[in-house]
Amino acid sequence: GEGRLSSCGSAPWFSPGLLGHGEGVTRAMTPYPPTRLSSSLGDERAVSVSGGYCHNLALTADGVWSWGYGSSGRLGHGNDRHQWQPKKVEAF
């Protein structure tokens, strides 16, 4: 694969940023094909991706990226902010 990220579907009201398309985007309902994220992982390519109920993680050769619901520091960015698009976790 290309190692690029796409998503489709809808995000629940309590999980902003889950789809990764930017602030305010809670639906990507062009069912075929999924919509590619415009600002995915910079120049890095995903090796593995995990989609959760409230947040997502992508593993690249150079680190971990996260986005979605940031409550309780679950995204690993040292704060409780939601991430509307993938953001590299700097702690690794």
Side-chain angles (χ1 to χ4, degrees):
E2 295 180 16
R4 306 286 182 222
L5 299 177
S6 298
S7 70
C8 61
S10 62
W13 65 269
F14 56 83
S15 190
L18 185 62
L19 295 175
H21 291 283
E23 186 170 356
V25 179
T26 58
R27 291 183 173 265
M29 298 299 280
T30 53
Y32 309 108
T35 306
R36 179 167 283 165
L37 276 63
S38 60
S39 145
S40 295
L41 310 173
D43 293 331
E44 299 183 46
R45 293 178 179 259
V47 174
S48 181
V49 178
S50 176
Y53 186 63
C54 292
H55 65 284
N56 303 294
L57 301 170
L59 176 66
T60 67
D62 293 323
V64 175
W65 296 66
S66 65
W67 65 100
Y69 188 64
S71 179
S72 302
R74 72 182 75 216
L75 298 178
H77 299 293
N79 58 48
D80 289 345
R81 285 184 233 131
H82 309 316
Q83 291 299 320
W84 298 99
Q85 295 176 313
K87 179 178 179 181
K88 192 168 191 175
V89 178
E90 299 298 332
F92 288 105

